[in-house]
PDB file of all heavy atoms in Angstrom:
ATOM      1  N   LYS J   1      -6.291  -7.978  -6.384  1.00  0.00           N
ATOM      2  CA  LYS J   1      -7.538  -7.352  -6.498  1.00  0.00           C
ATOM      3  C   LYS J   1      -8.672  -8.317  -6.589  1.00  0.00           C
ATOM      4  O   LYS J   1      -9.825  -8.071  -6.066  1.00  0.00           O
ATOM      5  CB  LYS J   1      -7.561  -6.369  -7.686  1.00  0.00           C
ATOM      6  CG  LYS J   1      -8.867  -5.509  -7.856  1.00  0.00           C
ATOM      7  CD  LYS J   1      -8.739  -4.562  -8.928  1.00  0.00           C
ATOM      8  CE  LYS J   1      -9.958  -3.640  -9.048  1.00  0.00           C
ATOM      9  NZ  LYS J   1     -10.161  -2.840  -7.825  1.00  0.00           N
ATOM     10  N   ASN J   2      -8.516  -9.441  -7.384  1.00  0.00           N
ATOM     11  CA  ASN J   2      -9.575 -10.308  -7.595  1.00  0.00           C
ATOM     12  C   ASN J   2      -9.592 -11.525  -6.665  1.00  0.00           C
ATOM     13  O   ASN J   2     -10.349 -12.471  -6.846  1.00  0.00           O
ATOM     14  CB  ASN J   2      -9.458 -10.832  -9.030  1.00  0.00           C
ATOM     15  CG  ASN J   2      -9.739  -9.779 -10.033  1.00  0.00           C
ATOM     16  OD1 ASN J   2     -10.615  -8.848  -9.801  1.00  0.00           O
ATOM     17  ND2 ASN J   2      -9.121  -9.905 -11.222  1.00  0.00           N
ATOM     18  N   PHE J   3      -8.732 -11.482  -5.566  1.00  0.00           N
ATOM     19  CA  PHE J   3      -8.740 -12.573  -4.584  1.00  0.00           C
ATOM     20  C   PHE J   3     -10.254 -12.637  -4.022  1.00  0.00           C
ATOM     21  O   PHE J   3     -10.747 -11.531  -3.762  1.00  0.00           O
ATOM     22  CB  PHE J   3      -7.789 -12.314  -3.534  1.00  0.00           C
ATOM     23  CG  PHE J   3      -7.744 -13.493  -2.520  1.00  0.00           C
ATOM     24  CD1 PHE J   3      -6.968 -14.606  -2.908  1.00  0.00           C
ATOM     25  CD2 PHE J   3      -8.308 -13.478  -1.290  1.00  0.00           C
ATOM     26  CE1 PHE J   3      -6.899 -15.713  -2.002  1.00  0.00           C
ATOM     27  CE2 PHE J   3      -8.235 -14.510  -0.455  1.00  0.00           C
ATOM     28  CZ  PHE J   3      -7.581 -15.706  -0.803  1.00  0.00           C
ATOM     29  N   PRO J   4     -10.818 -13.802  -3.939  1.00  0.00           N
ATOM     30  CA  PRO J   4     -12.205 -13.837  -3.600  1.00  0.00           C
ATOM     31  C   PRO J   4     -12.668 -13.264  -2.234  1.00  0.00           C
ATOM     32  O   PRO J   4     -13.781 -12.905  -2.005  1.00  0.00           O
ATOM     33  CB  PRO J   4     -12.652 -15.394  -3.689  1.00  0.00           C
ATOM     34  CG  PRO J   4     -11.254 -16.022  -3.634  1.00  0.00           C
ATOM     35  CD  PRO J   4     -10.232 -15.098  -4.262  1.00  0.00           C
ATOM     36  N   TYR J   5     -11.731 -13.190  -1.295  1.00  0.00           N
ATOM     37  CA  TYR J   5     -11.966 -12.739   0.024  1.00  0.00           C
ATOM     38  C   TYR J   5     -11.233 -11.420   0.315  1.00  0.00           C
ATOM     39  O   TYR J   5     -10.332 -11.036  -0.361  1.00  0.00           O
ATOM     40  CB  TYR J   5     -11.643 -13.737   1.097  1.00  0.00           C
ATOM     41  CG  TYR J   5     -12.518 -15.074   0.991  1.00  0.00           C
ATOM     42  CD1 TYR J   5     -12.059 -16.149   0.355  1.00  0.00           C
ATOM     43  CD2 TYR J   5     -13.811 -15.019   1.558  1.00  0.00           C
ATOM     44  CE1 TYR J   5     -12.893 -17.276   0.283  1.00  0.00           C
ATOM     45  CE2 TYR J   5     -14.579 -16.141   1.467  1.00  0.00           C
ATOM     46  CZ  TYR J   5     -14.153 -17.296   0.850  1.00  0.00           C
ATOM     47  OH  TYR J   5     -14.953 -18.401   0.713  1.00  0.00           O
ATOM     48  N   PRO J   6     -11.643 -10.721   1.383  1.00  0.00           N
ATOM     49  CA  PRO J   6     -10.938  -9.347   1.697  1.00  0.00           C
ATOM     50  C   PRO J   6      -9.494  -9.481   1.929  1.00  0.00           C
ATOM     51  O   PRO J   6      -8.965 -10.490   2.400  1.00  0.00           O
ATOM     52  CB  PRO J   6     -11.696  -8.920   2.938  1.00  0.00           C
ATOM     53  CG  PRO J   6     -13.046  -9.543   2.871  1.00  0.00           C
ATOM     54  CD  PRO J   6     -12.729 -10.958   2.252  1.00  0.00           C
ATOM     55  N   THR J   7      -8.740  -8.450   1.558  1.00  0.00           N
ATOM     56  CA  THR J   7      -7.340  -8.361   1.745  1.00  0.00           C
ATOM     57  C   THR J   7      -6.962  -7.066   2.496  1.00  0.00           C
ATOM     58  O   THR J   7      -7.644  -6.083   2.323  1.00  0.00           O
ATOM     59  CB  THR J   7      -6.593  -8.403   0.417  1.00  0.00           C
ATOM     60  OG1 THR J   7      -7.123  -7.297  -0.429  1.00  0.00           O
ATOM     61  CG2 THR J   7      -6.884  -9.672  -0.331  1.00  0.00           C
ATOM     62  N   ILE J   8      -5.840  -7.142   3.297  1.00  0.00           N
ATOM     63  CA  ILE J   8      -5.410  -6.023   4.083  1.00  0.00           C
ATOM     64  C   ILE J   8      -3.893  -5.815   3.827  1.00  0.00           C
ATOM     65  O   ILE J   8      -3.109  -6.720   4.016  1.00  0.00           O
ATOM     66  CB  ILE J   8      -5.631  -6.257   5.585  1.00  0.00           C
ATOM     67  CG1 ILE J   8      -7.136  -6.502   5.888  1.00  0.00           C
ATOM     68  CG2 ILE J   8      -5.143  -5.041   6.428  1.00  0.00           C
ATOM     69  CD1 ILE J   8      -7.389  -6.960   7.376  1.00  0.00           C
ATOM     70  N   ALA J   9      -3.514  -4.609   3.557  1.00  0.00           N
ATOM     71  CA  ALA J   9      -2.101  -4.210   3.414  1.00  0.00           C
ATOM     72  C   ALA J   9      -1.736  -3.566   4.837  1.00  0.00           C
ATOM     73  O   ALA J   9      -2.364  -2.635   5.170  1.00  0.00           O
ATOM     74  CB  ALA J   9      -1.865  -3.196   2.318  1.00  0.00           C
ATOM     75  N   MET J  10      -0.776  -4.195   5.503  1.00  0.00           N
ATOM     76  CA  MET J  10      -0.312  -3.682   6.806  1.00  0.00           C
ATOM     77  C   MET J  10       1.003  -3.067   6.667  1.00  0.00           C
ATOM     78  O   MET J  10       2.032  -3.726   6.475  1.00  0.00           O
ATOM     79  CB  MET J  10      -0.308  -4.885   7.806  1.00  0.00           C
ATOM     80  CG  MET J  10       0.158  -4.405   9.232  1.00  0.00           C
ATOM     81  SD  MET J  10      -0.096  -5.646  10.535  1.00  0.00           S
ATOM     82  CE  MET J  10       1.154  -6.941   9.992  1.00  0.00           C
ATOM     83  N   TRP J  11       1.036  -1.741   6.699  1.00  0.00           N
ATOM     84  CA  TRP J  11       2.280  -1.008   6.462  1.00  0.00           C
ATOM     85  C   TRP J  11       3.076  -0.933   7.745  1.00  0.00           C
ATOM     86  O   TRP J  11       2.934  -0.074   8.566  1.00  0.00           O
ATOM     87  CB  TRP J  11       2.039   0.388   5.914  1.00  0.00           C
ATOM     88  CG  TRP J  11       1.282   0.445   4.655  1.00  0.00           C
ATOM     89  CD1 TRP J  11       1.155  -0.480   3.705  1.00  0.00           C
ATOM     90  CD2 TRP J  11       0.607   1.548   4.125  1.00  0.00           C
ATOM     91  NE1 TRP J  11       0.474  -0.118   2.695  1.00  0.00           N
ATOM     92  CE2 TRP J  11       0.082   1.239   2.894  1.00  0.00           C
ATOM     93  CE3 TRP J  11       0.344   2.871   4.627  1.00  0.00           C
ATOM     94  CZ2 TRP J  11      -0.681   2.097   2.047  1.00  0.00           C
ATOM     95  CZ3 TRP J  11      -0.383   3.808   3.855  1.00  0.00           C
ATOM     96  CH2 TRP J  11      -0.891   3.398   2.535  1.00  0.00           C
ATOM     97  N   ASN J  12       4.035  -1.776   7.881  1.00  0.00           N
ATOM     98  CA  ASN J  12       4.920  -1.793   9.072  1.00  0.00           C
ATOM     99  C   ASN J  12       6.056  -0.772   8.898  1.00  0.00           C
ATOM    100  O   ASN J  12       6.603  -0.313   9.870  1.00  0.00           O
ATOM    101  CB  ASN J  12       5.641  -3.184   9.213  1.00  0.00           C
ATOM    102  CG  ASN J  12       6.349  -3.575   7.947  1.00  0.00           C
ATOM    103  OD1 ASN J  12       5.763  -3.855   6.937  1.00  0.00           O
ATOM    104  ND2 ASN J  12       7.677  -3.518   7.991  1.00  0.00           N
ATOM    105  N   GLY J  13       6.288  -0.383   7.682  1.00  0.00           N
ATOM    106  CA  GLY J  13       7.345   0.650   7.393  1.00  0.00           C
ATOM    107  C   GLY J  13       7.055   1.418   6.141  1.00  0.00           C
ATOM    108  O   GLY J  13       5.891   1.379   5.595  1.00  0.00           O
ATOM    109  N   TYR J  14       7.967   2.133   5.619  1.00  0.00           N
ATOM    110  CA  TYR J  14       7.729   2.998   4.486  1.00  0.00           C
ATOM    111  C   TYR J  14       7.267   2.217   3.269  1.00  0.00           C
ATOM    112  O   TYR J  14       7.550   1.125   3.042  1.00  0.00           O
ATOM    113  CB  TYR J  14       8.928   3.978   4.179  1.00  0.00           C
ATOM    114  CG  TYR J  14      10.261   3.263   3.923  1.00  0.00           C
ATOM    115  CD1 TYR J  14      10.560   2.657   2.724  1.00  0.00           C
ATOM    116  CD2 TYR J  14      11.221   3.262   4.971  1.00  0.00           C
ATOM    117  CE1 TYR J  14      11.780   2.035   2.580  1.00  0.00           C
ATOM    118  CE2 TYR J  14      12.460   2.592   4.680  1.00  0.00           C
ATOM    119  CZ  TYR J  14      12.734   2.062   3.505  1.00  0.00           C
ATOM    120  OH  TYR J  14      13.887   1.497   3.279  1.00  0.00           O
ATOM    121  N   CYS J  15       6.517   2.929   2.456  1.00  0.00           N
ATOM    122  CA  CYS J  15       5.757   2.363   1.343  1.00  0.00           C
ATOM    123  C   CYS J  15       5.776   3.285   0.137  1.00  0.00           C
ATOM    124  O   CYS J  15       5.226   4.336   0.184  1.00  0.00           O
ATOM    125  CB  CYS J  15       4.378   2.020   1.781  1.00  0.00           C
ATOM    126  SG  CYS J  15       3.375   1.156   0.564  1.00  0.00           S
ATOM    127  N   PHE J  16       6.463   2.865  -0.963  1.00  0.00           N
ATOM    128  CA  PHE J  16       6.577   3.782  -2.054  1.00  0.00           C
ATOM    129  C   PHE J  16       6.304   2.967  -3.414  1.00  0.00           C
ATOM    130  O   PHE J  16       6.347   1.794  -3.436  1.00  0.00           O
ATOM    131  CB  PHE J  16       8.054   4.258  -2.178  1.00  0.00           C
ATOM    132  CG  PHE J  16       8.301   5.354  -1.131  1.00  0.00           C
ATOM    133  CD1 PHE J  16       8.861   4.968   0.075  1.00  0.00           C
ATOM    134  CD2 PHE J  16       8.072   6.702  -1.413  1.00  0.00           C
ATOM    135  CE1 PHE J  16       9.135   5.922   1.117  1.00  0.00           C
ATOM    136  CE2 PHE J  16       8.326   7.594  -0.388  1.00  0.00           C
ATOM    137  CZ  PHE J  16       8.838   7.241   0.801  1.00  0.00           C
ATOM    138  N   GLY J  17       5.993   3.785  -4.438  1.00  0.00           N
ATOM    139  CA  GLY J  17       5.823   3.289  -5.814  1.00  0.00           C
ATOM    140  C   GLY J  17       4.928   2.114  -5.944  1.00  0.00           C
ATOM    141  O   GLY J  17       3.811   2.123  -5.569  1.00  0.00           O
ATOM    142  N   ALA J  18       5.436   1.044  -6.576  1.00  0.00           N
ATOM    143  CA  ALA J  18       4.724  -0.221  -6.796  1.00  0.00           C
ATOM    144  C   ALA J  18       4.201  -0.837  -5.571  1.00  0.00           C
ATOM    145  O   ALA J  18       3.122  -1.426  -5.523  1.00  0.00           O
ATOM    146  CB  ALA J  18       5.514  -1.231  -7.580  1.00  0.00           C
ATOM    147  N   GLY J  19       4.860  -0.655  -4.442  1.00  0.00           N
ATOM    148  CA  GLY J  19       4.373  -1.185  -3.112  1.00  0.00           C
ATOM    149  C   GLY J  19       3.180  -0.466  -2.708  1.00  0.00           C
ATOM    150  O   GLY J  19       2.155  -1.032  -2.096  1.00  0.00           O
ATOM    151  N   LEU J  20       3.084   0.836  -2.893  1.00  0.00           N
ATOM    152  CA  LEU J  20       1.945   1.636  -2.613  1.00  0.00           C
ATOM    153  C   LEU J  20       0.766   1.252  -3.538  1.00  0.00           C
ATOM    154  O   LEU J  20      -0.326   1.186  -3.170  1.00  0.00           O
ATOM    155  CB  LEU J  20       2.276   3.089  -2.659  1.00  0.00           C
ATOM    156  CG  LEU J  20       1.122   4.059  -2.208  1.00  0.00           C
ATOM    157  CD1 LEU J  20       0.602   3.759  -0.834  1.00  0.00           C
ATOM    158  CD2 LEU J  20       1.684   5.542  -2.253  1.00  0.00           C
ATOM    159  N   ASN J  21       1.081   1.148  -4.738  1.00  0.00           N
ATOM    160  CA  ASN J  21       0.102   0.706  -5.773  1.00  0.00           C
ATOM    161  C   ASN J  21      -0.472  -0.665  -5.427  1.00  0.00           C
ATOM    162  O   ASN J  21      -1.750  -0.854  -5.439  1.00  0.00           O
ATOM    163  CB  ASN J  21       0.694   0.648  -7.217  1.00  0.00           C
ATOM    164  CG  ASN J  21      -0.308   0.623  -8.277  1.00  0.00           C
ATOM    165  OD1 ASN J  21      -0.039   0.815  -9.493  1.00  0.00           O
ATOM    166  ND2 ASN J  21      -1.531   0.270  -7.976  1.00  0.00           N
ATOM    167  N   LEU J  22       0.302  -1.577  -5.040  1.00  0.00           N
ATOM    168  CA  LEU J  22      -0.168  -2.905  -4.591  1.00  0.00           C
ATOM    169  C   LEU J  22      -1.113  -2.776  -3.389  1.00  0.00           C
ATOM    170  O   LEU J  22      -2.138  -3.438  -3.385  1.00  0.00           O
ATOM    171  CB  LEU J  22       1.035  -3.785  -4.204  1.00  0.00           C
ATOM    172  CG  LEU J  22       0.633  -5.219  -3.663  1.00  0.00           C
ATOM    173  CD1 LEU J  22       0.027  -6.065  -4.739  1.00  0.00           C
ATOM    174  CD2 LEU J  22       1.915  -5.907  -3.163  1.00  0.00           C
ATOM    175  N   SER J  23      -0.752  -1.921  -2.485  1.00  0.00           N
ATOM    176  CA  SER J  23      -1.627  -1.651  -1.362  1.00  0.00           C
ATOM    177  C   SER J  23      -2.938  -1.160  -1.800  1.00  0.00           C
ATOM    178  O   SER J  23      -4.028  -1.371  -1.127  1.00  0.00           O
ATOM    179  CB  SER J  23      -0.987  -0.690  -0.358  1.00  0.00           C
ATOM    180  OG  SER J  23       0.274  -1.204   0.037  1.00  0.00           O
ATOM    181  N   MET J  24      -2.999  -0.264  -2.813  1.00  0.00           N
ATOM    182  CA  MET J  24      -4.251   0.302  -3.232  1.00  0.00           C
ATOM    183  C   MET J  24      -5.267  -0.732  -3.775  1.00  0.00           C
ATOM    184  O   MET J  24      -6.516  -0.461  -3.814  1.00  0.00           O
ATOM    185  CB  MET J  24      -3.967   1.330  -4.291  1.00  0.00           C
ATOM    186  CG  MET J  24      -3.298   2.633  -3.771  1.00  0.00           C
ATOM    187  SD  MET J  24      -4.270   3.571  -2.484  1.00  0.00           S
ATOM    188  CE  MET J  24      -3.159   3.205  -1.083  1.00  0.00           C
ATOM    189  N   VAL J  25      -4.762  -1.866  -4.304  1.00  0.00           N
ATOM    190  CA  VAL J  25      -5.692  -2.855  -4.800  1.00  0.00           C
ATOM    191  C   VAL J  25      -6.105  -3.849  -3.641  1.00  0.00           C
ATOM    192  O   VAL J  25      -6.919  -4.690  -3.903  1.00  0.00           O
ATOM    193  CB  VAL J  25      -5.086  -3.770  -5.958  1.00  0.00           C
ATOM    194  CG1 VAL J  25      -4.809  -2.780  -7.124  1.00  0.00           C
ATOM    195  CG2 VAL J  25      -3.889  -4.521  -5.526  1.00  0.00           C
ATOM    196  N   CYS J  26      -5.513  -3.643  -2.486  1.00  0.00           N
ATOM    197  CA  CYS J  26      -6.080  -4.344  -1.269  1.00  0.00           C
ATOM    198  C   CYS J  26      -7.378  -3.636  -0.829  1.00  0.00           C
ATOM    199  O   CYS J  26      -7.565  -2.425  -1.124  1.00  0.00           O
ATOM    200  CB  CYS J  26      -5.018  -4.319  -0.123  1.00  0.00           C
ATOM    201  SG  CYS J  26      -3.631  -5.404  -0.511  1.00  0.00           S
ATOM    202  N   ASP J  27      -8.179  -4.314  -0.098  1.00  0.00           N
ATOM    203  CA  ASP J  27      -9.483  -3.806   0.273  1.00  0.00           C
ATOM    204  C   ASP J  27      -9.349  -2.838   1.503  1.00  0.00           C
ATOM    205  O   ASP J  27     -10.094  -1.858   1.537  1.00  0.00           O
ATOM    206  CB  ASP J  27     -10.430  -4.935   0.676  1.00  0.00           C
ATOM    207  CG  ASP J  27     -10.677  -5.815  -0.435  1.00  0.00           C
ATOM    208  OD1 ASP J  27     -11.342  -5.343  -1.429  1.00  0.00           O
ATOM    209  OD2 ASP J  27     -10.413  -7.052  -0.417  1.00  0.00           O
ATOM    210  N   ILE J  28      -8.350  -3.092   2.335  1.00  0.00           N
ATOM    211  CA  ILE J  28      -8.171  -2.306   3.574  1.00  0.00           C
ATOM    212  C   ILE J  28      -6.651  -1.998   3.768  1.00  0.00           C
ATOM    213  O   ILE J  28      -5.882  -2.886   3.410  1.00  0.00           O
ATOM    214  CB  ILE J  28      -8.775  -2.954   4.821  1.00  0.00           C
ATOM    215  CG1 ILE J  28     -10.277  -3.185   4.596  1.00  0.00           C
ATOM    216  CG2 ILE J  28      -8.502  -2.176   6.085  1.00  0.00           C
ATOM    217  CD1 ILE J  28     -10.979  -4.101   5.665  1.00  0.00           C
ATOM    218  N   ARG J  29      -6.326  -0.830   4.303  1.00  0.00           N
ATOM    219  CA  ARG J  29      -4.927  -0.556   4.627  1.00  0.00           C
ATOM    220  C   ARG J  29      -4.763  -0.078   6.090  1.00  0.00           C
ATOM    221  O   ARG J  29      -5.579   0.775   6.534  1.00  0.00           O
ATOM    222  CB  ARG J  29      -4.414   0.518   3.674  1.00  0.00           C
ATOM    223  CG  ARG J  29      -4.148   0.064   2.251  1.00  0.00           C
ATOM    224  CD  ARG J  29      -4.154   1.126   1.285  1.00  0.00           C
ATOM    225  NE  ARG J  29      -5.512   1.765   1.091  1.00  0.00           N
ATOM    226  CZ  ARG J  29      -6.485   1.239   0.417  1.00  0.00           C
ATOM    227  NH1 ARG J  29      -6.391   0.101  -0.156  1.00  0.00           N
ATOM    228  NH2 ARG J  29      -7.656   1.859   0.373  1.00  0.00           N
ATOM    229  N   THR J  30      -3.837  -0.674   6.778  1.00  0.00           N
ATOM    230  CA  THR J  30      -3.503  -0.188   8.165  1.00  0.00           C
ATOM    231  C   THR J  30      -2.039   0.165   8.140  1.00  0.00           C
ATOM    232  O   THR J  30      -1.249  -0.314   7.357  1.00  0.00           O
ATOM    233  CB  THR J  30      -3.794  -1.298   9.154  1.00  0.00           C
ATOM    234  OG1 THR J  30      -2.850  -2.424   8.908  1.00  0.00           O
ATOM    235  CG2 THR J  30      -5.181  -1.754   9.071  1.00  0.00           C
ATOM    236  N   ALA J  31      -1.653   1.075   9.084  1.00  0.00           N
ATOM    237  CA  ALA J  31      -0.283   1.619   9.057  1.00  0.00           C
ATOM    238  C   ALA J  31       0.241   1.995  10.393  1.00  0.00           C
ATOM    239  O   ALA J  31      -0.546   2.417  11.305  1.00  0.00           O
ATOM    240  CB  ALA J  31      -0.216   2.923   8.146  1.00  0.00           C
ATOM    241  N   SER J  32       1.517   1.803  10.598  1.00  0.00           N
ATOM    242  CA  SER J  32       2.189   2.358  11.783  1.00  0.00           C
ATOM    243  C   SER J  32       2.231   3.866  11.639  1.00  0.00           C
ATOM    244  O   SER J  32       2.348   4.435  10.549  1.00  0.00           O
ATOM    245  CB  SER J  32       3.624   1.758  11.854  1.00  0.00           C
ATOM    246  OG  SER J  32       4.456   2.595  12.681  1.00  0.00           O
ATOM    247  N   ASP J  33       2.165   4.586  12.794  1.00  0.00           N
ATOM    248  CA  ASP J  33       2.269   6.018  12.735  1.00  0.00           C
ATOM    249  C   ASP J  33       3.587   6.593  12.333  1.00  0.00           C
ATOM    250  O   ASP J  33       3.702   7.815  12.157  1.00  0.00           O
ATOM    251  CB  ASP J  33       1.688   6.628  14.130  1.00  0.00           C
ATOM    252  CG  ASP J  33       2.569   6.166  15.198  1.00  0.00           C
ATOM    253  OD1 ASP J  33       3.605   5.491  15.033  1.00  0.00           O
ATOM    254  OD2 ASP J  33       2.196   6.444  16.372  1.00  0.00           O
ATOM    255  N   THR J  34       4.584   5.782  12.207  1.00  0.00           N
ATOM    256  CA  THR J  34       5.916   6.159  11.771  1.00  0.00           C
ATOM    257  C   THR J  34       6.082   6.093  10.230  1.00  0.00           C
ATOM    258  O   THR J  34       7.094   6.491   9.702  1.00  0.00           O
ATOM    259  CB  THR J  34       6.972   5.336  12.421  1.00  0.00           C
ATOM    260  OG1 THR J  34       6.796   3.999  12.136  1.00  0.00           O
ATOM    261  CG2 THR J  34       6.851   5.462  14.017  1.00  0.00           C
ATOM    262  N   VAL J  35       5.164   5.482   9.560  1.00  0.00           N
ATOM    263  CA  VAL J  35       5.210   5.207   8.085  1.00  0.00           C
ATOM    264  C   VAL J  35       5.356   6.513   7.235  1.00  0.00           C
ATOM    265  O   VAL J  35       4.627   7.496   7.549  1.00  0.00           O
ATOM    266  CB  VAL J  35       4.046   4.339   7.688  1.00  0.00           C
ATOM    267  CG1 VAL J  35       3.928   4.387   6.158  1.00  0.00           C
ATOM    268  CG2 VAL J  35       4.240   2.976   8.130  1.00  0.00           C
ATOM    269  N   LYS J  36       6.174   6.488   6.291  1.00  0.00           N
ATOM    270  CA  LYS J  36       6.233   7.518   5.255  1.00  0.00           C
ATOM    271  C   LYS J  36       5.900   6.824   3.873  1.00  0.00           C
ATOM    272  O   LYS J  36       6.265   5.652   3.606  1.00  0.00           O
ATOM    273  CB  LYS J  36       7.663   8.080   5.106  1.00  0.00           C
ATOM    274  CG  LYS J  36       8.135   8.718   6.399  1.00  0.00           C
ATOM    275  CD  LYS J  36       7.358  10.008   6.758  1.00  0.00           C
ATOM    276  CE  LYS J  36       8.004  10.634   7.933  1.00  0.00           C
ATOM    277  NZ  LYS J  36       7.114  11.836   8.375  1.00  0.00           N
ATOM    278  N   LEU J  37       5.270   7.492   3.040  1.00  0.00           N
ATOM    279  CA  LEU J  37       4.880   6.948   1.720  1.00  0.00           C
ATOM    280  C   LEU J  37       4.856   7.954   0.643  1.00  0.00           C
ATOM    281  O   LEU J  37       4.808   9.197   0.896  1.00  0.00           O
ATOM    282  CB  LEU J  37       3.539   6.308   1.766  1.00  0.00           C
ATOM    283  CG  LEU J  37       2.316   7.176   2.285  1.00  0.00           C
ATOM    284  CD1 LEU J  37       1.131   6.962   1.359  1.00  0.00           C
ATOM    285  CD2 LEU J  37       1.942   6.907   3.708  1.00  0.00           C
ATOM    286  N   GLY J  38       4.849   7.468  -0.647  1.00  0.00           N
ATOM    287  CA  GLY J  38       4.784   8.425  -1.686  1.00  0.00           C
ATOM    288  C   GLY J  38       4.830   7.716  -3.054  1.00  0.00           C
ATOM    289  O   GLY J  38       5.121   6.516  -3.134  1.00  0.00           O
ATOM    290  N   MET J  39       4.458   8.482  -4.091  1.00  0.00           N
ATOM    291  CA  MET J  39       4.533   7.996  -5.497  1.00  0.00           C
ATOM    292  C   MET J  39       5.539   8.919  -6.283  1.00  0.00           C
ATOM    293  O   MET J  39       5.134  10.137  -6.462  1.00  0.00           O
ATOM    294  CB  MET J  39       3.138   8.038  -6.081  1.00  0.00           C
ATOM    295  CG  MET J  39       2.376   6.871  -5.598  1.00  0.00           C
ATOM    296  SD  MET J  39       2.960   5.221  -5.993  1.00  0.00           S
ATOM    297  CE  MET J  39       2.907   5.237  -7.755  1.00  0.00           C
ATOM    298  N   PRO J  40       6.660   8.493  -6.642  1.00  0.00           N
ATOM    299  CA  PRO J  40       7.671   9.360  -7.236  1.00  0.00           C
ATOM    300  C   PRO J  40       7.729   9.468  -8.740  1.00  0.00           C
ATOM    301  O   PRO J  40       8.719  10.009  -9.294  1.00  0.00           O
ATOM    302  CB  PRO J  40       9.009   8.680  -6.760  1.00  0.00           C
ATOM    303  CG  PRO J  40       8.646   7.253  -6.647  1.00  0.00           C
ATOM    304  CD  PRO J  40       7.228   7.174  -6.308  1.00  0.00           C
ATOM    305  N   PRO J  41       6.803   8.946  -9.572  1.00  0.00           N
ATOM    306  CA  PRO J  41       6.939   8.976 -10.992  1.00  0.00           C
ATOM    307  C   PRO J  41       7.241  10.350 -11.595  1.00  0.00           C
ATOM    308  O   PRO J  41       8.110  10.466 -12.506  1.00  0.00           O
ATOM    309  CB  PRO J  41       5.581   8.529 -11.547  1.00  0.00           C
ATOM    310  CG  PRO J  41       5.090   7.632 -10.531  1.00  0.00           C
ATOM    311  CD  PRO J  41       5.520   8.291  -9.216  1.00  0.00           C
ATOM    312  N   ALA J  42       6.634  11.426 -11.136  1.00  0.00           N
ATOM    313  CA  ALA J  42       6.908  12.802 -11.630  1.00  0.00           C
ATOM    314  C   ALA J  42       8.396  13.214 -11.299  1.00  0.00           C
ATOM    315  O   ALA J  42       8.877  14.039 -12.063  1.00  0.00           O
ATOM    316  CB  ALA J  42       5.939  13.834 -11.004  1.00  0.00           C
ATOM    317  N   LYS J  43       8.957  12.671 -10.332  1.00  0.00           N
ATOM    318  CA  LYS J  43      10.293  13.005  -9.988  1.00  0.00           C
ATOM    319  C   LYS J  43      11.363  12.164 -10.761  1.00  0.00           C
ATOM    320  O   LYS J  43      12.559  12.392 -10.753  1.00  0.00           O
ATOM    321  CB  LYS J  43      10.569  12.895  -8.437  1.00  0.00           C
ATOM    322  CG  LYS J  43       9.814  13.916  -7.659  1.00  0.00           C
ATOM    323  CD  LYS J  43      10.164  13.774  -6.196  1.00  0.00           C
ATOM    324  CE  LYS J  43       9.422  14.824  -5.381  1.00  0.00           C
ATOM    325  NZ  LYS J  43       9.757  16.203  -5.762  1.00  0.00           N
ATOM    326  N   LEU J  44      10.803  11.138 -11.442  1.00  0.00           N
ATOM    327  CA  LEU J  44      11.697  10.259 -12.239  1.00  0.00           C
ATOM    328  C   LEU J  44      11.495  10.471 -13.766  1.00  0.00           C
ATOM    329  O   LEU J  44      12.296   9.925 -14.564  1.00  0.00           O
ATOM    330  CB  LEU J  44      11.344   8.836 -11.896  1.00  0.00           C
ATOM    331  CG  LEU J  44      11.584   8.391 -10.462  1.00  0.00           C
ATOM    332  CD1 LEU J  44      11.024   7.003 -10.212  1.00  0.00           C
ATOM    333  CD2 LEU J  44      13.069   8.451 -10.151  1.00  0.00           C
ATOM    334  N   GLY J  45      10.460  11.257 -14.080  1.00  0.00           N
ATOM    335  CA  GLY J  45      10.181  11.397 -15.583  1.00  0.00           C
ATOM    336  C   GLY J  45       9.327  10.343 -16.179  1.00  0.00           C
ATOM    337  O   GLY J  45       9.221  10.118 -17.420  1.00  0.00           O
TER     338      GLY J  45
END
């Protein structure tokens, strides 16, 4: 998040949990149209 220059998360494949959270602190996100993603905490308790 605090890297001095812009950051991009490029989702080549599925993205879940902490990987998705890490992507959210990047400045920009790009994705393949085949990507699936999600945040499962509620399903884990």
Side-chain angles (χ1 to χ4, degrees):
K1 185 175 184 62
N2 294 330
F3 188 75
Y5 293 100
T7 56
I8 303 174
M10 180 170 67
W11 298 342
N12 56 289
Y14 54 79
C15 183
F16 288 90
L20 185 53
N21 195 164
L22 176 66
S23 300
M24 291 300 112
V25 302
C26 291
D27 297 298
I28 298 169
R29 288 158 293 283
T30 63
S32 162
D33 57 7
T34 61
V35 163
K36 302 292 184 182
L37 59 134
M39 285 300 296
K43 294 186 180 297
L44 298 171

